[in-house]
Short mmCIF file of all heavy atoms in Angstrom, two decimals:
data_model
loop_
_atom_site.label_atom_id
_atom_site.label_comp_id
_atom_site.label_asym_id
_atom_site.label_seq_id
_atom_site.Cartn_x
_atom_site.Cartn_y
_atom_site.Cartn_z
N MET C 898 337.71 131.17 100.68
CA MET C 898 338.96 130.56 100.32
C MET C 898 339.49 131.27 99.06
O MET C 898 338.72 131.52 98.09
CB MET C 898 338.73 129.10 99.99
CG MET C 898 340.01 128.39 99.59
SD MET C 898 339.86 126.60 99.42
CE MET C 898 338.86 126.41 98.01
N LYS C 899 340.72 131.62 99.03
CA LYS C 899 341.39 132.26 97.90
C LYS C 899 341.64 131.21 96.82
O LYS C 899 341.98 130.06 97.14
CB LYS C 899 342.72 132.89 98.29
CG LYS C 899 342.57 134.06 99.21
CD LYS C 899 343.94 134.69 99.44
CE LYS C 899 343.79 135.89 100.33
NZ LYS C 899 345.12 136.50 100.58
N LYS C 900 341.49 131.59 95.57
CA LYS C 900 341.79 130.70 94.50
C LYS C 900 343.29 130.67 94.26
O LYS C 900 343.96 131.72 94.36
CB LYS C 900 341.14 131.14 93.18
CG LYS C 900 339.67 130.90 93.17
CD LYS C 900 339.12 131.21 91.78
CE LYS C 900 337.64 130.87 91.72
NZ LYS C 900 337.13 131.06 90.37
N MET C 901 343.85 129.51 93.97
CA MET C 901 345.26 129.42 93.69
C MET C 901 345.45 129.25 92.21
O MET C 901 344.69 128.53 91.56
CB MET C 901 345.85 128.18 94.45
CG MET C 901 345.82 128.36 95.95
SD MET C 901 346.65 127.01 96.79
CE MET C 901 348.31 127.46 96.56
N GLN C 902 346.48 129.85 91.67
CA GLN C 902 346.81 129.68 90.28
C GLN C 902 348.08 128.88 90.22
O GLN C 902 348.99 129.01 90.98
CB GLN C 902 347.02 131.04 89.59
CG GLN C 902 345.79 131.84 89.43
CD GLN C 902 346.02 133.08 88.62
OE1 GLN C 902 347.15 133.50 88.39
NE2 GLN C 902 344.94 133.70 88.21
N THR C 903 348.10 128.03 89.18
CA THR C 903 349.29 127.18 88.99
C THR C 903 350.07 127.73 87.78
O THR C 903 349.51 127.87 86.72
CB THR C 903 348.89 125.73 88.71
OG1 THR C 903 348.00 125.30 89.71
CG2 THR C 903 350.06 124.82 88.63
N LEU C 904 351.35 128.04 88.01
CA LEU C 904 352.21 128.45 86.92
C LEU C 904 353.18 127.35 86.60
O LEU C 904 353.75 126.71 87.52
CB LEU C 904 353.00 129.73 87.32
CG LEU C 904 352.16 130.95 87.62
CD1 LEU C 904 353.09 132.07 88.12
CD2 LEU C 904 351.37 131.41 86.42
N ASN C 905 353.37 127.07 85.32
CA ASN C 905 354.35 126.07 84.94
C ASN C 905 355.70 126.75 84.82
O ASN C 905 355.91 127.67 84.00
CB ASN C 905 353.95 125.48 83.56
CG ASN C 905 354.79 124.33 83.15
OD1 ASN C 905 355.86 124.12 83.70
ND2 ASN C 905 354.32 123.61 82.18
N MET C 906 356.66 126.33 85.70
CA MET C 906 357.97 126.94 85.67
C MET C 906 358.68 126.88 84.33
O MET C 906 359.47 127.75 84.00
CB MET C 906 358.85 126.27 86.75
CG MET C 906 358.53 126.58 88.16
SD MET C 906 359.60 125.77 89.34
CE MET C 906 361.17 126.57 88.99
N CYS C 907 358.37 125.84 83.60
CA CYS C 907 359.02 125.66 82.26
C CYS C 907 358.63 126.80 81.31
O CYS C 907 359.44 127.12 80.38
CB CYS C 907 358.61 124.31 81.65
SG CYS C 907 359.23 122.93 82.60
N ASP C 908 357.53 127.47 81.54
CA ASP C 908 357.17 128.58 80.69
C ASP C 908 358.04 129.80 80.95
O ASP C 908 358.06 130.72 80.13
CB ASP C 908 355.71 128.96 80.92
CG ASP C 908 354.71 127.90 80.47
OD1 ASP C 908 355.11 127.04 79.64
OD2 ASP C 908 353.56 127.92 80.94
N PHE C 909 358.76 129.83 82.09
CA PHE C 909 359.56 130.98 82.43
C PHE C 909 361.07 130.65 82.54
O PHE C 909 361.80 131.44 83.06
CB PHE C 909 359.09 131.56 83.79
CG PHE C 909 357.64 131.94 83.77
CD1 PHE C 909 356.68 131.06 84.21
CD2 PHE C 909 357.19 133.14 83.26
CE1 PHE C 909 355.32 131.43 84.20
CE2 PHE C 909 355.89 133.50 83.20
CZ PHE C 909 354.96 132.59 83.72
N CYS C 910 361.45 129.50 82.03
CA CYS C 910 362.83 129.05 82.15
C CYS C 910 363.61 129.28 80.83
O CYS C 910 363.04 129.24 79.78
CB CYS C 910 362.78 127.57 82.50
SG CYS C 910 364.46 126.89 82.81
N SER C 911 364.88 129.43 80.93
CA SER C 911 365.73 129.61 79.77
C SER C 911 366.08 128.32 79.03
O SER C 911 366.47 128.28 77.92
CB SER C 911 367.07 130.30 80.22
OG SER C 911 366.78 131.58 80.67
N TYR C 912 365.90 127.18 79.76
CA TYR C 912 366.18 125.86 79.11
C TYR C 912 364.99 125.41 78.28
O TYR C 912 363.85 125.82 78.54
CB TYR C 912 366.48 124.82 80.19
CG TYR C 912 367.77 125.01 80.91
CD1 TYR C 912 367.77 125.26 82.26
CD2 TYR C 912 368.99 124.88 80.24
CE1 TYR C 912 368.97 125.47 82.94
CE2 TYR C 912 370.19 125.06 80.99
CZ TYR C 912 370.17 125.34 82.32
OH TYR C 912 371.32 125.51 82.95
N GLU C 913 365.26 124.54 77.29
CA GLU C 913 364.21 123.96 76.51
C GLU C 913 363.71 122.75 77.27
O GLU C 913 364.46 121.91 77.66
CB GLU C 913 364.73 123.54 75.15
CG GLU C 913 365.13 124.73 74.26
CD GLU C 913 363.96 125.60 73.83
OE1 GLU C 913 362.86 125.05 73.66
OE2 GLU C 913 364.16 126.79 73.73
N ILE C 914 362.38 122.64 77.44
CA ILE C 914 361.81 121.58 78.23
C ILE C 914 362.10 120.18 77.71
O ILE C 914 362.31 119.26 78.42
CB ILE C 914 360.26 121.78 78.34
CG1 ILE C 914 359.70 120.74 79.39
CG2 ILE C 914 359.59 121.64 77.02
CD1 ILE C 914 358.26 121.01 79.77
N GLU C 915 362.24 120.04 76.35
CA GLU C 915 362.45 118.71 75.77
C GLU C 915 363.86 118.19 76.03
O GLU C 915 364.08 117.01 76.02
CB GLU C 915 362.22 118.78 74.26
CG GLU C 915 360.81 119.11 73.85
CD GLU C 915 360.48 120.56 73.81
OE1 GLU C 915 361.43 121.40 73.75
OE2 GLU C 915 359.28 120.92 73.85
N SER C 916 364.82 119.10 76.28
CA SER C 916 366.23 118.64 76.33
C SER C 916 366.91 118.99 77.65
O SER C 916 368.11 118.76 77.77
CB SER C 916 366.99 119.26 75.18
OG SER C 916 366.96 120.65 75.20
N CYS C 917 366.26 119.55 78.63
CA CYS C 917 366.97 120.02 79.81
C CYS C 917 367.35 118.93 80.76
O CYS C 917 368.30 118.97 81.47
CB CYS C 917 366.19 121.12 80.55
SG CYS C 917 364.80 120.49 81.48
N GLY C 918 366.53 117.83 80.81
CA GLY C 918 366.79 116.68 81.69
C GLY C 918 366.67 116.97 83.12
O GLY C 918 367.32 116.29 83.98
N ALA C 919 365.90 117.94 83.53
CA ALA C 919 365.71 118.30 84.93
C ALA C 919 364.87 117.31 85.70
O ALA C 919 364.06 116.63 85.14
CB ALA C 919 365.09 119.69 85.03
N LYS C 920 365.13 117.23 87.01
CA LYS C 920 364.22 116.52 87.91
C LYS C 920 363.15 117.51 88.34
O LYS C 920 363.43 118.57 88.84
CB LYS C 920 364.99 116.06 89.16
CG LYS C 920 366.05 115.02 88.84
CD LYS C 920 366.80 114.68 90.09
CE LYS C 920 367.99 113.80 89.79
NZ LYS C 920 368.84 113.64 90.98
N THR C 921 361.88 117.17 88.12
CA THR C 921 360.79 118.09 88.37
C THR C 921 359.84 117.54 89.40
O THR C 921 359.77 116.38 89.64
CB THR C 921 360.02 118.35 87.06
OG1 THR C 921 359.53 117.14 86.55
CG2 THR C 921 360.91 118.99 86.01
N VAL C 922 359.07 118.47 89.97
CA VAL C 922 357.91 118.11 90.84
C VAL C 922 356.69 118.70 90.16
O VAL C 922 356.65 119.91 89.84
CB VAL C 922 358.06 118.73 92.25
CG1 VAL C 922 356.85 118.49 93.08
CG2 VAL C 922 359.31 118.17 92.94
N LEU C 923 355.77 117.84 89.85
CA LEU C 923 354.55 118.27 89.20
C LEU C 923 353.46 118.67 90.19
O LEU C 923 353.47 118.25 91.35
CB LEU C 923 353.99 117.14 88.29
CG LEU C 923 354.96 116.66 87.20
CD1 LEU C 923 354.33 115.52 86.39
CD2 LEU C 923 355.35 117.79 86.25
N ALA C 924 352.52 119.51 89.74
CA ALA C 924 351.49 119.98 90.61
C ALA C 924 350.72 118.84 91.25
O ALA C 924 350.28 118.95 92.40
CB ALA C 924 350.53 120.93 89.85
N ASP C 925 350.43 117.77 90.51
CA ASP C 925 349.64 116.67 91.09
C ASP C 925 350.38 115.87 92.16
O ASP C 925 349.79 115.04 92.82
CB ASP C 925 349.11 115.76 90.02
CG ASP C 925 350.17 115.02 89.24
OD1 ASP C 925 351.35 115.35 89.39
OD2 ASP C 925 349.83 114.10 88.48
N GLU C 926 351.67 116.15 92.38
CA GLU C 926 352.43 115.47 93.39
C GLU C 926 352.38 116.17 94.72
O GLU C 926 352.88 115.65 95.73
CB GLU C 926 353.91 115.29 92.95
CG GLU C 926 354.10 114.49 91.68
CD GLU C 926 355.54 114.53 91.22
OE1 GLU C 926 356.46 114.84 91.97
OE2 GLU C 926 355.71 114.23 90.02
N ILE C 927 351.76 117.36 94.78
CA ILE C 927 351.67 118.15 95.99
C ILE C 927 350.30 118.00 96.59
O ILE C 927 349.30 118.33 95.96
CB ILE C 927 351.96 119.63 95.71
CG1 ILE C 927 353.35 119.80 95.13
CG2 ILE C 927 351.76 120.45 96.99
CD1 ILE C 927 353.63 121.21 94.71
N PRO C 928 350.21 117.40 97.83
CA PRO C 928 348.93 117.18 98.42
C PRO C 928 348.33 118.44 99.06
O PRO C 928 348.70 118.85 100.19
CB PRO C 928 349.20 116.13 99.51
CG PRO C 928 350.62 116.36 99.88
CD PRO C 928 351.28 116.89 98.64
N LEU C 929 347.44 119.09 98.34
CA LEU C 929 346.76 120.29 98.87
C LEU C 929 345.27 119.99 98.97
O LEU C 929 344.51 120.16 98.01
CB LEU C 929 346.97 121.50 97.97
CG LEU C 929 348.39 121.98 97.85
CD1 LEU C 929 348.49 123.11 96.79
CD2 LEU C 929 348.91 122.52 99.15
N ALA C 930 344.79 119.53 100.12
CA ALA C 930 343.46 119.10 100.29
C ALA C 930 342.44 120.27 100.14
O ALA C 930 341.41 120.11 99.57
CB ALA C 930 343.31 118.50 101.64
N ASN C 931 342.84 121.44 100.65
CA ASN C 931 341.86 122.54 100.63
C ASN C 931 342.02 123.42 99.38
O ASN C 931 341.20 124.35 99.22
CB ASN C 931 341.97 123.42 101.86
CG ASN C 931 343.33 124.01 101.99
OD1 ASN C 931 344.26 123.65 101.33
ND2 ASN C 931 343.50 124.96 102.94
N ALA C 932 342.94 123.20 98.54
CA ALA C 932 343.16 124.01 97.30
C ALA C 932 343.77 123.18 96.21
O ALA C 932 344.96 123.29 95.94
CB ALA C 932 344.06 125.21 97.64
N PRO C 933 342.95 122.30 95.63
CA PRO C 933 343.51 121.50 94.55
C PRO C 933 343.94 122.34 93.36
O PRO C 933 343.35 123.34 93.03
CB PRO C 933 342.31 120.64 94.16
CG PRO C 933 341.09 121.31 94.66
CD PRO C 933 341.52 122.14 95.84
N LEU C 934 345.06 121.93 92.77
CA LEU C 934 345.62 122.70 91.62
C LEU C 934 345.00 122.22 90.31
O LEU C 934 344.84 120.99 90.10
CB LEU C 934 347.14 122.47 91.60
CG LEU C 934 347.85 122.94 92.87
CD1 LEU C 934 349.34 122.57 92.79
CD2 LEU C 934 347.68 124.45 93.06
N LYS C 935 344.67 123.13 89.45
CA LYS C 935 343.98 122.81 88.23
C LYS C 935 344.91 122.17 87.18
O LYS C 935 344.54 121.25 86.48
CB LYS C 935 343.33 124.06 87.63
CG LYS C 935 342.11 124.50 88.46
CD LYS C 935 341.44 125.69 87.86
CE LYS C 935 340.25 126.09 88.67
NZ LYS C 935 339.54 127.19 88.15
N GLN C 936 346.07 122.68 87.02
CA GLN C 936 346.97 122.15 85.96
C GLN C 936 347.85 121.11 86.59
O GLN C 936 348.95 121.35 87.08
CB GLN C 936 347.85 123.32 85.43
CG GLN C 936 347.07 124.38 84.74
CD GLN C 936 347.94 125.52 84.25
OE1 GLN C 936 349.12 125.60 84.70
NE2 GLN C 936 347.42 126.41 83.50
N LYS C 937 347.39 119.90 86.49
CA LYS C 937 348.05 118.74 87.20
C LYS C 937 349.47 118.45 86.67
O LYS C 937 350.29 117.94 87.39
CB LYS C 937 347.21 117.47 87.06
CG LYS C 937 345.81 117.61 87.65
CD LYS C 937 345.84 117.73 89.10
CE LYS C 937 344.50 117.75 89.74
NZ LYS C 937 344.53 118.02 91.16
N GLN C 938 349.75 118.75 85.42
CA GLN C 938 351.05 118.41 84.86
C GLN C 938 352.00 119.61 84.83
O GLN C 938 353.07 119.58 84.25
CB GLN C 938 350.91 117.90 83.41
CG GLN C 938 350.17 116.56 83.35
CD GLN C 938 350.90 115.50 84.21
OE1 GLN C 938 352.09 115.27 84.02
NE2 GLN C 938 350.17 114.87 85.10
N ALA C 939 351.63 120.70 85.50
CA ALA C 939 352.51 121.90 85.58
C ALA C 939 353.72 121.59 86.48
O ALA C 939 353.59 120.95 87.52
CB ALA C 939 351.74 123.08 86.18
N VAL C 940 354.88 122.09 86.05
CA VAL C 940 356.12 121.90 86.86
C VAL C 940 356.17 123.03 87.88
O VAL C 940 356.21 124.19 87.53
CB VAL C 940 357.35 121.97 85.99
CG1 VAL C 940 358.63 121.90 86.77
CG2 VAL C 940 357.35 120.78 84.96
N VAL C 941 356.09 122.65 89.19
CA VAL C 941 356.09 123.63 90.23
C VAL C 941 357.41 123.70 90.95
O VAL C 941 357.67 124.65 91.77
CB VAL C 941 354.94 123.40 91.20
CG1 VAL C 941 353.59 123.62 90.56
CG2 VAL C 941 355.00 122.03 91.84
N ALA C 942 358.35 122.78 90.71
CA ALA C 942 359.65 122.79 91.31
C ALA C 942 360.61 122.08 90.40
O ALA C 942 360.20 121.15 89.67
CB ALA C 942 359.71 122.15 92.68
N CYS C 943 361.87 122.52 90.37
CA CYS C 943 362.83 121.97 89.43
C CYS C 943 364.24 122.16 89.93
O CYS C 943 364.55 123.14 90.65
CB CYS C 943 362.62 122.75 88.10
SG CYS C 943 363.87 122.38 86.84
N ASP C 944 365.15 121.29 89.55
CA ASP C 944 366.53 121.39 89.99
C ASP C 944 367.44 122.15 88.97
O ASP C 944 368.63 122.31 89.25
CB ASP C 944 367.14 120.01 90.35
CG ASP C 944 367.29 119.14 89.14
OD1 ASP C 944 366.58 119.35 88.11
OD2 ASP C 944 368.07 118.21 89.23
N LYS C 945 366.91 122.53 87.85
CA LYS C 945 367.71 123.23 86.84
C LYS C 945 367.18 124.56 86.39
O LYS C 945 367.68 125.11 85.44
CB LYS C 945 367.89 122.31 85.61
CG LYS C 945 368.80 121.17 85.82
CD LYS C 945 369.08 120.54 84.45
CE LYS C 945 370.13 119.50 84.61
NZ LYS C 945 370.51 118.93 83.31
N TYR C 946 366.13 125.07 87.04
CA TYR C 946 365.54 126.29 86.58
C TYR C 946 366.56 127.43 86.40
O TYR C 946 367.44 127.65 87.25
CB TYR C 946 364.46 126.79 87.61
CG TYR C 946 363.81 128.07 87.24
CD1 TYR C 946 362.89 128.11 86.26
CD2 TYR C 946 364.21 129.25 87.86
CE1 TYR C 946 362.25 129.35 85.91
CE2 TYR C 946 363.61 130.44 87.56
CZ TYR C 946 362.62 130.47 86.57
OH TYR C 946 362.04 131.66 86.19
N LYS C 947 366.47 128.09 85.31
CA LYS C 947 367.39 129.20 85.01
C LYS C 947 366.55 130.35 84.54
O LYS C 947 365.97 130.35 83.46
CB LYS C 947 368.37 128.79 83.92
CG LYS C 947 369.53 129.77 83.71
CD LYS C 947 370.56 129.18 82.81
CE LYS C 947 371.79 130.01 82.79
NZ LYS C 947 372.82 129.44 81.95
N SER C 948 366.51 131.38 85.33
CA SER C 948 365.64 132.56 85.06
C SER C 948 366.19 133.33 83.83
O SER C 948 367.40 133.63 83.80
CB SER C 948 365.62 133.47 86.27
OG SER C 948 365.10 134.71 85.92
N PRO C 949 365.34 133.72 82.90
CA PRO C 949 365.77 134.52 81.76
C PRO C 949 366.29 135.87 82.22
O PRO C 949 367.16 136.44 81.62
CB PRO C 949 364.52 134.70 80.95
CG PRO C 949 363.49 133.77 81.46
CD PRO C 949 363.93 133.32 82.82
N VAL C 950 365.79 136.38 83.36
CA VAL C 950 366.24 137.67 83.89
C VAL C 950 367.69 137.54 84.30
O VAL C 950 368.49 138.43 84.03
CB VAL C 950 365.32 138.14 85.04
CG1 VAL C 950 365.87 139.38 85.68
CG2 VAL C 950 363.89 138.35 84.54
N ASP C 951 368.04 136.47 85.01
CA ASP C 951 369.42 136.22 85.43
C ASP C 951 370.38 136.14 84.23
O ASP C 951 371.45 136.60 84.28
CB ASP C 951 369.49 134.99 86.32
CG ASP C 951 368.87 135.21 87.68
OD1 ASP C 951 368.72 136.37 88.10
OD2 ASP C 951 368.51 134.18 88.34
N VAL C 952 369.88 135.48 83.18
CA VAL C 952 370.72 135.29 81.99
C VAL C 952 371.00 136.69 81.38
O VAL C 952 372.15 137.00 81.01
CB VAL C 952 370.02 134.43 80.93
CG1 VAL C 952 370.73 134.45 79.60
CG2 VAL C 952 369.88 133.01 81.46
N LEU C 953 369.98 137.56 81.36
CA LEU C 953 370.18 138.89 80.77
C LEU C 953 371.07 139.74 81.69
O LEU C 953 371.87 140.52 81.18
CB LEU C 953 368.83 139.58 80.57
CG LEU C 953 367.98 139.02 79.49
CD1 LEU C 953 366.55 139.61 79.46
CD2 LEU C 953 368.63 139.20 78.15
N LYS C 954 370.91 139.61 82.98
CA LYS C 954 371.78 140.35 83.91
C LYS C 954 373.25 140.02 83.69
O LYS C 954 374.13 140.92 83.64
CB LYS C 954 371.42 140.07 85.35
CG LYS C 954 370.19 140.79 85.85
CD LYS C 954 369.97 140.39 87.34
CE LYS C 954 368.68 140.93 87.87
NZ LYS C 954 368.49 140.49 89.23
N LYS C 955 373.57 138.79 83.55
CA LYS C 955 374.94 138.35 83.35
C LYS C 955 375.48 138.84 82.01
O LYS C 955 376.65 139.13 81.85
CB LYS C 955 375.06 136.83 83.43
CG LYS C 955 374.94 136.29 84.85
CD LYS C 955 375.05 134.82 84.88
CE LYS C 955 374.80 134.29 86.30
NZ LYS C 955 374.79 132.84 86.36
N GLN C 956 374.56 138.83 80.98
CA GLN C 956 374.97 139.23 79.68
C GLN C 956 375.29 140.71 79.53
O GLN C 956 376.14 141.11 78.78
CB GLN C 956 373.83 138.86 78.68
CG GLN C 956 374.24 138.71 77.25
CD GLN C 956 373.10 138.12 76.42
OE1 GLN C 956 371.94 138.25 76.78
NE2 GLN C 956 373.48 137.49 75.39
N PHE C 957 374.54 141.55 80.27
CA PHE C 957 374.65 142.99 80.10
C PHE C 957 375.36 143.70 81.24
O PHE C 957 375.46 144.92 81.26
CB PHE C 957 373.31 143.62 79.85
CG PHE C 957 372.70 143.17 78.52
CD1 PHE C 957 371.66 142.26 78.50
CD2 PHE C 957 373.24 143.61 77.35
CE1 PHE C 957 371.10 141.86 77.27
CE2 PHE C 957 372.70 143.22 76.14
CZ PHE C 957 371.62 142.33 76.10
N HIS C 958 375.79 142.96 82.27
CA HIS C 958 376.50 143.62 83.43
C HIS C 958 377.88 143.08 83.59
O HIS C 958 378.28 142.12 83.27
CB HIS C 958 375.72 143.45 84.70
CG HIS C 958 374.47 144.28 84.70
ND1 HIS C 958 373.23 143.70 84.86
CD2 HIS C 958 374.22 145.62 84.54
CE1 HIS C 958 372.27 144.64 84.81
NE2 HIS C 958 372.88 145.84 84.58
#
């Protein structure tokens, strides 16, 4: 079985986690019987995610 890594989307988002007001899905809300996620409070889905790369593209193009 391959190991799964959990990334917190908030670590890669342009918004500040304390003030963005996004609706999120946490890792512990996803039922993965064969591959439990280690970081239970990691945000794995969000309705306001804004990629820093997209922000830079708009700024410089």
Side-chain angles (χ1 to χ4, degrees):
M898 179 172 73
K899 291 184 180 180
K900 287 188 175 184
M901 295 185 79
Q902 291 187 347
T903 308
L904 298 176
N905 187 347
M906 288 181 66
C907 296
D908 293 340
F909 303 96
C910 183
S911 295
Y912 292 114
E913 293 293 326
I914 189 169
E915 295 85 19
S916 61
C917 76
K920 294 178 189 171
T921 59
V922 175
L923 301 178
D925 65 348
E926 297 174 21
I927 300 174
L929 295 175
N931 60 348
L934 301 174
K935 290 184 180 180
Q936 297 175 347
K937 301 291 185 188
Q938 295 303 307
V940 175
V941 294
C943 172
D944 67 339
K945 286 193 173 183
Y946 177 77
K947 190 171 191 179
S948 167
V950 174
D951 290 338
V952 172
L953 290 172
K954 281 181 185 177
K955 288 179 184 177
Q956 200 171 26
F957 293 108
H958 289 121

